[in-house]
Amino acid sequence: MRYPLDNWKKLRRGYLFGVPTHYSKFHLGLDVIAPTGTPLYAWQDLSIVATLFGPQGGNTAFILCNGNKRLFRVMHLQKPAKSGKYKEGSIIGYIGNTGAYSLGSHLHIDISKNGILNLKDLSNFENPESYFNAFVK
């Protein structure tokens, strides 16, 4: 089961923010614009290993996929996600508009290559669009 992103509007990685975040003036992830309450599905078996509410990103979940060394960070969720294991195709959260840097309902997703979020080494971030293109058929 696959959940392609190709029919949604996207704000790509690398664009220049109007106001720099505390770690970068460039966007490190992919923003997918969708209505509030749109379900976010597990794209493969995965675990939500931590959640938090950040002032900029709002409701945030940190995700590890089985057999994958990447750490996925999804932000602006409608409500806090629940930590735990999820099977591919399960709903893991809902798109929202939380956090000071959200100007409309969307999902921000970024990927850290080595499984650790390191905002001091921006070369550690991978392009989410390239990663998820493997899921679009």
Side-chain angles (χ1 to χ4, degrees):
M1 187 181 283
R2 302 293 184 210
Y3 302 93
L5 302 176
D6 61 345
N7 61 341
W8 289 355
K9 295 179 182 177
K10 296 176 256 188
L11 297 176
R12 291 182 164 81
R13 182 175 192 267
Y15 73 83
L16 184 64
F17 282 121
V19 177
T21 65
H22 67 279
Y23 56 86
S24 174
K25 62 183 180 177
F26 293 99
H27 192 237
L28 298 175
L30 174 69
D31 287 350
V32 180
I33 299 167
T36 296
T38 300
L40 172 62
Y41 294 95
W43 55 94
Q44 64 186 83
D45 291 352
L46 54 79
S47 297
I48 296 179
V49 296
T51 63
L52 61 81
F53 183 88
Q56 295 177 355
N59 292 317
T60 300
F62 297 88
I63 299 169
L64 291 172
C65 296
N66 293 352
N68 192 330
K69 298 207 186 288
R70 297 169 177 92
L71 177 69
F72 298 82
R73 181 172 62 156
V74 296
M75 301 163 77
H76 310 298
L77 297 172
Q78 185 178 29
K79 306 186 259 188
K82 301 229 186 291
S83 296
K85 294 183 179 192
Y86 294 85
K87 292 286 189 190
E88 181 179 339
S90 300
I91 295 175
I92 60 174
Y94 296 90
I95 308 300
N97 184 24
T98 60
Y101 281 13
S102 183
L103 300 177
S105 183
H106 74 287
L107 177 74
H108 168 94
I109 185 164
D110 59 48
I111 304 172
S112 298
K113 294 177 191 174
N114 64 6
I116 299 170
L117 180 66
N118 181 357
L119 297 174
K120 294 182 182 182
D121 178 10
L122 301 184
S123 68
N124 184 48
F125 285 83
E126 182 176 340
N127 185 344
E129 194 164 14
S130 297
Y131 175 83
F132 283 107
N133 276 340
F135 290 88
V136 178
K137 296 197 179 212

